């Protein structure tokens, strides 16, 4: 076995990996890009980004995700079901042994990194992959270590990433040849049969969603930024609802775009990079993201480019709507280098409402905030998961991140409620979806309007405006907002036929009520009562 790069004394034999060909340790981006091109894993764009094709897997595979059933989980409130499917410890070990055998006589790429920016919670990790470009993805997305301490790196969590390995469902008790499996007792992640790199980052997010709440830290699927005065803002939401876009603000420092923790000291980023959607990316609307995704070292997944000029076409969705860019946080000019800040003053719950009936912004009480947090209503956008069609699908995803929650959603909601009350945070519900009609007849909320509403909330102007209780969901909405036409603020007035709006709103309210029955016996009565009631 040959070794190249900056290796750790804690070798791969500790993971049961032996008889490997060449181990490439902690290569820097230029070396990883050279290897990726040499192995025909990708090509450089005109601006220098590495463009790769992930094959048939252009989104996550939630039906192929498993948690190993170990003794350590017996006393934990694990949220078993479609989100967390059980796999026996024996079958997990069987797949692990097959992966070990598969990697023999093969090259592997190792990245020793950390997650969690706050020093008290910093967690060392190791990503071992058969792909150079996946190693670059890990380099971009996780938190990098100083070169002088890499030799002593000992991972707390390890990811074995083998996209070309295929599980055997009849032997391994899996649904398909694809496996994303986590063993919290051994702190090991297996990813096989899929090239979609999002599985790497989300597997570690799942691990932190298990570890951090047990230490009193709220782990969150949100972006975060901080103003010059130290005021922190959080943006919760599923993929495509605007977390990355709205947190990338030239007037505020970006803490992170997707995964954070909220401790007794404040908010901290779990990652060291961004994983932005790029479909229909517009330089005039998102100049910082546009610049970051073009840079040397960025990984672009499934973005189409001209074969001769290598110029990128962000509007071409022939492979998927879920085109992605992975780049380090320092590619954003005004990022927060420490990766952490104080407690949030404003929290935004983002929803892309395909029904077109939710208000563009509403002020929430703490009880309403917990109701909508537990509900996690949005519309899944095409491509973020396998089997999604070309149109958004209305869905409820607990805590705006159900696919990544190993514990019961009430655990996260309880922590959120405690922290909102303790730090007196303002909570806003923001619709970045449709207005003037449902998807297909209405139009997507204009980004400048959403930015203006968020800006007014952050600078305190919005709280000074008069509010009225709209007649559909019983939410308090502002009558005026600087930079936004007054008629936009009340969604009912944007529809040509108010009666059609009322009928559509009733359908959505019924879905809210039906979804929340799963929390009827566990949620506080005042939280359950804060949900939408038909006022029409």
């Amino acid at each position: 076995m040959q070794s190249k790069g900056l290796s750790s004394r804690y070798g791969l034999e500790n993971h049961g990996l032996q008889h490997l060909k060449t181990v490439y340790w902690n290569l820097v981006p230029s070396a990883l890009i050279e290897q990726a091109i040499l192995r025909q894993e990708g090509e450089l764009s005109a601006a220098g980004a590495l463009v790769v094709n992930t094959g048939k897997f252009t989104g996550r595979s939630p039906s192929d995700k498993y948690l190993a059933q170990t003794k350590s989980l017996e006393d934990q409130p694990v949220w078993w079901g479609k989100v967390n499917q059980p796999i026996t410890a024996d079958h997990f070990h069987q797949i692990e042994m097959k992966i070990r055998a598969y990697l023999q006589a093969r090259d592997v790429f190792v990245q020793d990194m950390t997650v969690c920016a706050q020093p008290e919670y910093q967690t060392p990790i190791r990503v071992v992959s058969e792909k150079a470009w996946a190693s670059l993805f890990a380099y971009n997305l996780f938190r990098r270590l100083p070169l002088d301490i890499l030799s002593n790196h000992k991972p707390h969590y390890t990811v074995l990433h083998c996209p070309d390995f295929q599980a055997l469902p009849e032997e391994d008790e899996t649904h398909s040849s694809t496996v994303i499996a986590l063993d919290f007792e051994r702190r090991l992640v297996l990813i096989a049969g899929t090239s979609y790199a999002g599985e790497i980052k989300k597997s570690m997010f799942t691990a932190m969603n298990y570890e951090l709440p047990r230490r009193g830290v709220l782990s969150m699927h949100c972006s975060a930024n901080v103003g010059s005065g130290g005021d922190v803002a959080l943006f919760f939401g599923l993929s495509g609802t605007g977390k990355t876009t709205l947190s990338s603000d030239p007037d505020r420092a970006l803490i992170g775009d997707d995964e954070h923790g909220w401790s007794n000291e404040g908010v901290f980023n779990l990652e060291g990079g961004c994983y932005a959607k790029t479909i229909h990316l517009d330089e005039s609307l998102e100049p910082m993201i546009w610049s970051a995704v073009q840079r040397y070292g960025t990984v672009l997944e499934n973005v189409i480019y001209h074969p001769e000029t290598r110029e990128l076409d962000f509007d071409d969705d022939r492979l998927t709507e879920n085109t992605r860019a992975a780049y380090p946080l320092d590619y954003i000019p005004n990022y927060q280098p420490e990766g952490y800040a104080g407690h949030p003053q404003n929290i935004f719950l983002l929803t892309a409402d395909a029904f077109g009936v939710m208000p563009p912004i509403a002020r929430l009480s703490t009880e309403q905030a917990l109701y909508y947090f537990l509900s996690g209503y949005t519309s899944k956008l095409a491509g973020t998961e396998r089997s999604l069609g070309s149109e958004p699908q209305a869905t409820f995803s607990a805590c705006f991140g159900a696919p990544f929650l190993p514990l019961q959603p009430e655990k996260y909601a309880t922590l959120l409620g405690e922290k909102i009350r303790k730090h007196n945070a303002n909570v806003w519900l923001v619709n970045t979806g449709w207005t003037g009609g449902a998807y297909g007849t209405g139009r997507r909320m204009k980004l400048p309007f959403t930015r203006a509403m968020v800006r007014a909330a952050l600078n305190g102007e919005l709280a000074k405006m008069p509010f009225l209780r709209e007649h559909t969901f019983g939410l308090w909405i502002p009558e005026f907002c600087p930079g936004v036409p007054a008629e936009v603020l009340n969604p009912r007035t944007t529809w040509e036929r108010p009666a059609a709006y009322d009928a559509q709103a009733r359908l959505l309210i019924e879905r809210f009520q039906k979804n929340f029955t799963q929390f009827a016996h566990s949620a506080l009565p005042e939280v359950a009562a804060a949900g939408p009631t038909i006022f029409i």
Side-chain angles (χ1 to χ4, degrees):
M1 179 173 65
Q2 297 184 22
S3 181
K4 296 183 179 181
L6 298 170
S7 62
S8 166
R9 293 189 181 94
Y10 191 82
L12 297 186
E13 67 276 5
N14 291 285
H15 310 296
L17 299 177
Q18 298 178 340
H19 310 298
L20 303 172
K21 187 178 180 182
T22 302
V23 180
Y24 294 91
W25 287 90
N26 297 306
L27 297 188
V28 296
S30 57
L32 288 169
I33 290 170
E34 288 173 357
Q35 288 293 328
I37 293 175
L38 179 67
R39 296 159 193 269
Q40 298 184 328
E41 295 177 2
E43 294 184 325
L44 288 181
S45 72
L50 180 66
V51 186
V52 299
N53 186 323
T54 63
K56 68 175 182 178
F57 291 89
T58 58
R60 289 181 296 103
S61 300
S63 61
D64 296 309
K65 181 181 176 182
Y66 306 90
L67 299 185
Q69 292 176 298
T70 57
K71 290 183 178 180
S72 63
L73 296 186
E74 292 177 358
D75 298 326
Q76 298 297 326
V78 174
W79 193 22
W80 296 112
K82 291 183 178 180
V83 170
N84 299 302
Q85 302 172 100
I87 187 171
T88 67
D90 287 342
H91 280 110
F92 183 97
H93 182 65
Q94 178 174 291
I95 297 170
E96 178 191 354
M97 294 299 290
K98 288 183 177 182
I99 288 175
R100 289 181 185 177
Y102 168 82
L103 287 175
Q104 290 188 25
R106 294 178 186 269
D107 295 341
V108 297
F109 296 84
V110 181
Q111 285 294 334
D112 287 331
M113 317 285 286
T114 66
V115 292
C116 300
Q118 190 172 318
E120 182 180 351
Y121 303 102
Q122 190 175 82
T123 304
I125 68 168
R126 172 171 289 171
V127 179
V128 181
S129 178
E130 63 177 321
K131 300 293 184 182
W133 80 263
S135 195
L136 177 60
F137 175 91
Y139 180 95
N140 287 349
L141 263 293
F142 299 120
R143 304 192 64 80
R144 298 188 289 278
L145 289 164
L147 297 181
D148 58 349
I149 68 172
L150 281 176
S151 61
N152 294 317
H153 184 86
K154 182 179 179 181
H156 185 73
Y157 268 90
T158 301
V159 179
L160 300 184
H161 178 253
C162 298
D164 291 343
F165 173 82
Q166 305 291 309
L168 297 176
E170 63 276 11
E171 291 183 6
D172 301 323
E173 293 293 317
T174 58
H175 297 309
S176 73
S177 58
T178 300
V179 175
I180 303 98
L182 296 87
D183 184 333
F184 292 129
E185 188 169 86
R186 298 176 58 215
R187 300 188 294 273
L188 177 63
V189 180
L190 307 177
I191 301 175
T194 171
S195 292
Y196 181 64
E199 301 287 11
I200 300 174
K201 86 179 229 92
K202 291 306 184 186
S203 66
M204 285 313 308
F205 184 40
T206 301
M208 292 302 101
N209 280 330
Y210 176 77
E211 299 279 351
L212 292 175
R214 298 162 68 207
R215 302 177 65 182
V217 176
L218 173 61
S219 50
M220 305 174 292
H221 189 213
C222 70
S223 60
N225 62 24
V226 58
S228 58
D231 59 304
V232 173
L234 304 180
F235 301 83
F236 284 89
L238 291 186
S239 173
T241 55
K243 296 193 308 300
T244 300
T245 298
L246 293 174
S247 59
S248 298
D249 185 330
D251 298 322
R252 299 173 65 83
L254 179 67
I255 302 173
D257 83 323
D258 194 47
E259 303 167 5
H260 291 82
W262 187 353
S263 69
N264 290 333
E265 290 74 31
V267 169
F268 61 90
N269 192 1
L270 303 188
E271 299 181 297
C274 298
Y275 193 40
K277 290 197 72 172
T278 62
I279 195 68
H280 307 310
L281 185 63
D282 189 324
E283 183 178 13
S284 64
L285 295 176
E286 300 175 84
M288 290 191 297
I289 297 175
W290 174 275
S291 176
V293 305
Q294 305 270 7
R295 289 182 59 174
Y296 180 82
T298 290
V299 176
L300 295 176
E301 288 183 297
N302 303 311
V303 175
I304 301 299
Y305 59 92
H306 192 280
E308 279 85 33
T309 66
R310 302 287 180 90
E311 294 291 339
L312 301 169
D313 185 352
F314 293 114
D315 291 321
D316 195 326
D317 61 357
R318 74 180 74 172
L319 294 179
T320 178
E321 284 268 343
N322 191 36
T323 53
R324 292 277 182 172
Y327 51 88
L329 269 170
D330 57 17
Y331 280 17
I332 298 294
N334 58 333
Y335 80 108
Q336 181 83 339
E338 299 82 6
Y340 54 87
H343 299 286
Q345 295 182 11
N346 288 280
I347 299 172
F348 300 91
L349 306 184
L350 308 179
T351 175
D353 174 31
F355 283 74
V357 296
M358 299 292 288
I361 194 166
R363 185 178 60 196
L364 303 180
S365 67
T366 300
E367 292 73 27
Q368 287 176 320
L370 296 182
Y371 181 93
Y372 284 98
F373 179 70
L374 278 170
S375 299
Y377 168 66
T378 190
S379 301
K380 287 183 181 178
L381 302 183
T384 56
E385 291 182 7
R386 295 179 63 202
S387 79
L388 284 183
S390 60
E391 297 185 0
Q393 297 180 10
T395 188
F396 293 89
S397 183
C399 309
F400 294 97
F404 324 118
L405 305 182
L407 304 178
Q408 296 285 348
E410 294 87 341
K411 175 68 174 179
Y412 307 95
T414 298
L415 283 170
L416 178 63
E418 292 173 355
K419 293 182 182 297
I420 288 174
R421 295 185 181 96
K422 181 177 181 179
H423 301 288
N424 198 29
N426 302 310
V427 186
W428 309 87
L429 182 67
V430 175
N431 175 21
T432 61
W434 283 259
T435 185
Y439 175 86
T441 58
R443 58 192 178 278
R444 192 80 188 255
M445 191 70 63
K446 292 182 178 180
L447 180 57
F449 290 167
T450 301
R451 287 195 187 279
M453 289 181 277
V454 169
R455 189 181 309 115
L458 291 172
N459 64 26
E461 287 183 285
L462 199 60
K464 299 175 183 178
M465 298 294 171
F467 280 72
L468 59 86
R469 197 180 194 191
E470 50 88 36
H471 297 106
T472 308
F473 294 86
L475 295 171
W476 290 94
I477 62 176
E479 294 187 46
F480 307 102
C481 178
V484 182
E487 62 271 15
V488 172
L489 298 171
N490 190 333
R492 194 169 186 265
T493 63
T494 65
W495 285 54
E496 290 186 10
R497 296 175 53 244
Y501 169 89
D502 294 342
Q504 188 81 334
R506 287 192 184 95
L507 289 175
L508 181 55
I509 290 173
E510 289 170 359
R511 292 196 181 192
F512 265 104
Q513 294 171 340
K514 180 179 179 182
N515 173 73
F516 207 79
T517 57
Q518 65 183 303
F519 307 117
H521 300 297
S522 55
L524 294 173
E526 56 268 33
V527 173
T533 303
I534 299 175
F535 287 83
I536 301 168

